[in-house]
Amino acid sequence: MTANFAPAFAADDTVSTARRRLARALATAGKEPADLEARILLETATGLAALALLTRGDETLGAAAETLEKFAARRLAGEPVNRITGTTNFFGLDLTVAPNVLDPRADTEILVETALELMARKGFQNPRILDLGVGSGAILCALLDSRPDAFGIGVDLSPHACAATQANLARCGLTSRGTVIRGDWTAALSGRFDLIVSNPPYIRHAEIAELDPEVRDHDPRLALDGGPDGLAPYRLLSVELARLLRPGGVACLEIGWLQGAEVSALFRAKSLAQVSCRRDHGGRDRVIAIES
Ligand code: GLN
């Protein structure tokens, strides 16, 4: 393995020189898309917006040089960009990415799209939404933001996740319609929901060690480890949905891309009315939709 030497930055380096040097270092280390990553890190370090990085490229870095140098070293050591900036964009929302909480993935946006489509098709009004294993709150915030008539509860066992969801609900101005409770999945819940969503941990235990280090070393195990066959959360959900979903309600669950057949079979065996599988933008099975 070749060592990745982090570039040094000085206060009198110009913004555009720094950007080029950082992009080159990232590309050499195989961190792609290097130009985009360099722009995001530079934006965060300097506080300049994307356009200003271009129009004010001749200005010097000043005090931002030190921050940028630290960011570059962290990125080249394998820390994901979103963890360095502490933010991400999910379904058009600017969200906080907190330590010990899963960094929301773009693939998960398909779950939000599926849930919104189903709610529209079924004519839900003032839907009550439950997000099990709410993590950062990305799915819940996206749904509540897209449906101003909805109310939602997120549940998570991790106090870090509960705090992150609370912060993201506040950041999106959604605290009057969304809340989070700390709990073990469905244990503390009663009542019926119109929509249940979940991106549960679904990676097989034995596969965790082989994950990309940027996932394995930075996303929490609790959000990844789905037990010996990766299906433990779906078994529990296949029992609990019957209790928590109102008749006519729907559930949308994220799955691993090879789990479509097995997870569908689990829910079909519980004679939930209709089970279908949706693909992500990469053409891989990603979401199971269950209509009760
Ligand atoms: N999709 C996540 C990943 O790529 C896994 C999240 C999960 O297990 N729910 O690592």
Side-chain angles (χ1 to χ4, degrees):
M1 204 169 116
T2 48
N4 296 316
F5 295 104
F9 296 100
D12 59 358
D13 283 341
T14 66
V15 166
S16 55
T17 315
R19 182 176 178 169
R20 273 197 305 278
R21 194 180 317 139
L22 180 55
R24 209 162 37 234
L26 292 171
T28 306
K31 307 290 184 205
E32 295 292 352
D35 286 329
L36 177 66
E37 291 201 357
R39 171 167 74 71
I40 294 169
L41 292 175
L42 212 69
E43 269 179 43
T44 309
T46 60
L48 292 174
L51 183 61
L53 285 183
L54 296 175
T55 56
R56 295 165 60 183
D58 292 341
E59 291 180 20
T60 55
L61 287 178
E66 206 177 313
T67 311
L68 189 64
E69 194 166 303
K70 287 192 186 128
F71 284 0
R74 287 168 66 183
R75 181 65 194 114
L76 290 165
E79 191 171 343
V81 172
N82 290 350
R83 300 232 171 248
I84 298 171
T85 63
T87 58
T88 192
N89 188 285
F90 182 84
F91 214 73
L93 298 175
D94 256 327
L95 300 179
T96 296
V97 176
N100 301 311
V101 180
L102 188 88
D103 177 6
R105 313 284 203 261
D107 282 338
T108 302
E109 292 181 346
I110 205 74
L111 188 156
V112 175
E113 281 171 26
T114 305
L116 290 172
E117 256 172 57
L118 279 169
M119 287 197 290
R121 172 148 64 75
K122 293 185 152 253
F124 285 6
Q125 278 171 12
N126 306 112
R128 282 165 42 85
I129 300 172
L130 172 64
D131 185 337
L132 291 167
V134 66
S136 64
I139 299 170
L140 186 63
C141 289
L143 290 169
L144 293 178
D145 184 66
S146 301
R147 284 288 304 238
D149 62 335
F151 295 84
I153 297 178
V155 179
D156 210 293
L157 189 55
S158 153
H160 305 288
C162 292
T165 293
Q166 196 58 50
N168 279 324
L169 285 166
R171 192 169 172 141
C172 299
L174 295 167
T175 47
S176 62
R177 293 187 291 118
T179 189
V180 60
I181 54 176
R182 183 160 177 241
D184 192 356
W185 283 90
T186 52
L189 299 170
S190 62
R192 299 284 183 135
F193 294 87
D194 300 282
L195 170 68
I196 298 180
V197 289
S198 183
N199 175 14
Y202 54 66
I203 313 242
R204 285 197 287 127
H205 183 76
E207 274 172 26
I208 302 271
E210 285 141 43
L211 289 176
D212 181 341
E214 293 198 9
V215 173
R216 186 193 61 211
D217 301 342
H218 296 279
D219 284 308
R221 296 288 152 102
L222 188 65
L224 299 174
D225 191 341
D229 64 357
L231 301 175
Y234 304 106
R235 283 198 190 89
L236 184 126
L237 285 168
S238 71
V239 175
E240 287 292 85
L241 283 191
R243 180 171 75 86
L244 293 170
L245 214 49
R246 75 155 164 85
V250 298
C252 294
L253 313 176
E254 180 163 325
I255 56 164
W257 64 288
L258 294 171
Q259 293 172 326
E262 279 171 306
V263 176
S264 301
L266 264 175
F267 287 94
R268 288 206 180 99
K270 299 288 173 204
S271 49
L272 285 149
Q274 210 182 318
V275 181
S276 58
C277 191
R278 301 280 179 106
R279 299 204 164 144
D280 60 27
H281 296 302
R284 294 168 156 187
D285 286 347
R286 183 60 61 195
V287 172
I288 293 288
I290 299 148
E291 300 174 51
S292 73

